[in-house]
């Protein structure tokens, strides 16, 4: 059952990055758009996100619960030593949800609508940055546990590991990736006169992803962290990154000719390749401390607990996936899989 549990870990992480990331990117798109485009983006974002914006969080919930039950030591290190950025992430998700609801359902339309808009937009910008910073901190090599450094200060234990250049650039990279996903996905939902706007924004986002991604690796190399050294010498990681870069051309072509399904498929495939390069080639050592790596599989739950968890995930998956499909059909969201002329 261990492999079933790991499959759900990978699947949940990928789907949250893909779907939740696109949600965050939509708000960031709105933030960096001019007044003439904000209104149309707001309308499109609400029509697309409205029925499913909460449902997308199911994947991060599944990921957290699986790590908590199946891999308690790994979960404990993440929750304890990354509790500050994780708290900021939860705050950002909460503010985004509050703003998203109130700016559409508030019965009184006045200047508070501007406040809701700013809350929604800035929380969509900041939250993925802290998500990326958390991930970057886990791989940067500056984490030290109380067992490793019993005399370390609060700042050394809980602030310095994530408030470093490499985690910061990782956060910017993930935010740019979210914008790229949102712009690519929204092309198929936009009216004809809006499509060119989303195409331009997708092009800018692609450039930002490439530039910030290169800068992130460069910063990690200059800092000399172990993750970057292993990354640039790992043929699988380099191959995944190279393939992701090669796919930029066909992605750009299908965007320009309006092939909605192919543009979304290629965008999702690029995200999968990037995640494989960052995680798959270094699995299971997904936390790097000053004293060495911590494996996801270190002190995993006993076989009996893992069996129960695996069976529960299989049963839950059989219930959740049809429910999500029904949700999409009920709100006529299945059209996101359709080509548009």
């Amino acid at each position: 059952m261990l492999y079933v549990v790991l499959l759900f870990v990978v699947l949940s992480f990928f789907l949250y990055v893909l779907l939740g990331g696109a949600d965050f990117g939509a708000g960031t798109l709105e933030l960096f758009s001019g007044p003439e485009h904000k209104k149309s983006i707001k309308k499109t974002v609400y029509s697309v996100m409205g029925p499913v914006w909460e449902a997308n969080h199911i994947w991060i919930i599944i990921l957290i619960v699986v790590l908590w039950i199946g891999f308690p030591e790994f979960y404990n290190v993440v929750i304890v030593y990354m509790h500050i950025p994780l708290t900021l992430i939860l705050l950002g998700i909460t503010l985004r949800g509050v703003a998203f609801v109130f700016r559409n359902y508030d019965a009184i339309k006045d200047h508070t609508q501007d406040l809701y808009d700013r809350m929604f937009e800035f929380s969509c910008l900041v939250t993925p940055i802290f998500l990326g910073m958390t991930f970057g901190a886990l791989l940067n090599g500056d984490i030290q546990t109380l067992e490793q450094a019993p005399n370390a200060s609060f700042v050394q234990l809980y602030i310095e590991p994530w408030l470093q250049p490499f985690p910061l650039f990782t956060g910017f990279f993930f935010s740019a990736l979210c914008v790229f996903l949102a712009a690519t996905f929204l092309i198929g939902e936009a009216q004809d006169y809006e499509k060119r706007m989303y195409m331009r924004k997708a092009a800018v986002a692609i450039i930002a992803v490439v530039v910030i991604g290169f800068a992130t690796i460069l910063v990690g190399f200059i800092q000399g962290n172990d993750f970057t050294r292993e990354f640039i010498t790992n043929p699988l990681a380099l191959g995944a990154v190279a393939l992701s870069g090669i796919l930029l051309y066909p992605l750009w072509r299908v965007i320009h000719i309006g092939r909605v399904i192919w543009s979304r498929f290629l965008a999702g495939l690029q995200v999968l390749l990037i995640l494989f390069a960052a995680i798959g080639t270094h699995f299971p050592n997904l936390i790097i401390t000053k004293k060495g790596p911590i494996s996801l599989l270190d002190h995993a739950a006993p076989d009996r607990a893992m069996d129960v968890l695996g069976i529960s995930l299989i049963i839950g998956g059989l219930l959740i996936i049809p429910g999500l499909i029904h949700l999409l059909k009920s709100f006529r969201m299945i059209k996101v899989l359709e080509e548009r002329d």
Side-chain angles (χ1 to χ4, degrees), residues 77-89 126 129-144 154-172 223 288 290:
V77 173
V78 175
I79 293 298
V80 171
Y81 296 98
M82 293 290 108
H83 74 275
I84 294 178
L86 291 176
T87 301
L88 295 173
I89 290 167
V126 173
I129 290 177
F130 282 115
L131 278 165
M133 290 178 70
T134 301
F135 179 75
L138 295 178
L139 297 174
N140 193 38
D142 281 333
I143 294 177
Q144 50 185 341
F154 180 89
V155 172
Q156 292 173 322
L157 289 172
Y158 305 114
I159 296 180
E160 284 185 357
W162 58 273
L163 203 58
Q164 298 285 339
F166 181 78
L168 185 61
F169 272 86
T170 306
F172 290 150
Q223 286 186 335
I288 301 176
K290 289 188 174 182

Side-chain angles (χ1 to χ4, degrees), residues 311-328:
I311 294 172
S312 301
L313 288 170
I314 293 172
I315 296 173
L318 294 175
L319 295 174
I320 290 172
I321 294 176
L324 287 175
I325 294 174
H326 178 70
L327 174 68
L328 295 174

Side-chain angles (χ1 to χ4, degrees), residues 23 43-55 100 104-105 327 331 333:
D23 286 353
K43 181 180 178 181
T44 304
V45 166
Y46 179 71
S47 66
V48 175
M49 287 176 55
V52 297
W53 68 282
E54 281 285 23
F100 186 78
N104 288 286
Y105 293 109
L327 174 68
F331 286 93
M333 293 293 292

Side-chain angles (χ1 to χ4, degrees), residues 77 81 143-150 152 157 289-291 294:
V77 173
Y81 296 98
I143 294 177
Q144 50 185 341
T145 65
L146 279 171
E147 291 77 11
Q148 295 173 351
L157 289 172
T289 71
K290 289 188 174 182
K291 300 294 184 179
I294 295 177

Side-chain angles (χ1 to χ4, degrees), residues 65-283:
V65 171
V66 171
L67 291 178
W68 174 39
I69 297 175
F71 311 97
E73 181 168 312
F74 183 91
Y75 173 86
N76 183 67
V77 173
V78 175
I79 293 298
V80 171
Y81 296 98
M82 293 290 108
H83 74 275
I84 294 178
L86 291 176
T87 301
L88 295 173
I89 290 167
L90 290 175
L91 180 61
I93 291 174
T94 303
L95 289 177
R96 188 193 73 153
V98 170
F100 186 78
V101 171
F102 275 92
R103 76 178 190 158
N104 288 286
Y105 293 109
D106 193 350
I108 301 176
K109 305 297 182 181
D110 55 15
H111 66 277
T112 56
Q113 293 295 315
D114 294 331
L115 174 62
Y116 299 145
D117 286 343
R118 300 294 87 73
M119 284 175 57
F120 176 75
E121 293 164 0
F122 279 100
S123 60
C124 284
L125 171 66
V126 173
T127 304
I129 290 177
F130 282 115
L131 278 165
M133 290 178 70
T134 301
F135 179 75
L138 295 178
L139 297 174
N140 193 38
D142 281 333
I143 294 177
Q144 50 185 341
T145 65
L146 279 171
E147 291 77 11
Q148 295 173 351
N151 297 321
S153 66
F154 180 89
V155 172
Q156 292 173 322
L157 289 172
Y158 305 114
I159 296 180
E160 284 185 357
W162 58 273
L163 203 58
Q164 298 285 339
F166 181 78
L168 185 61
F169 272 86
T170 306
F172 290 150
F173 174 79
F174 182 57
S175 183
L177 190 64
C178 292
V179 175
F180 159 69
L181 288 171
T184 304
F185 289 174
L186 288 175
I187 290 172
E189 301 299 321
Q191 301 298 325
D192 290 338
Y193 67 92
E194 297 174 326
K195 286 186 177 181
R196 289 195 174 275
M197 174 189 66
Y198 288 117
M199 289 179 183
R200 291 194 301 270
K201 292 183 181 297
V204 173
I206 289 173
I207 295 172
V209 168
V210 173
V211 172
I212 298 175
F214 177 78
T216 303
I217 296 300
L218 181 61
V219 168
F221 179 77
I222 294 173
Q223 286 186 335
N225 65 37
D226 293 337
F227 168 78
T228 304
R229 286 200 298 265
E230 294 176 10
F231 183 88
I232 62 178
T233 57
N234 189 306
L236 291 177
L238 294 178
V241 171
L243 181 56
S244 178
I246 292 171
L247 289 177
L248 287 174
Y249 178 74
L251 174 63
W252 185 244
R253 291 293 302 165
V254 296
I255 286 176
H256 270 276
I257 63 178
R259 302 299 298 273
V260 177
I261 292 178
W262 275 104
S263 63
R264 291 168 176 168
F265 172 77
L266 290 174
L269 180 58
Q270 285 186 304
V271 172
L272 182 62
L273 289 169
I274 291 171
L275 293 180
F276 174 78
I279 297 177
T281 55
H282 299 85
F283 184 86

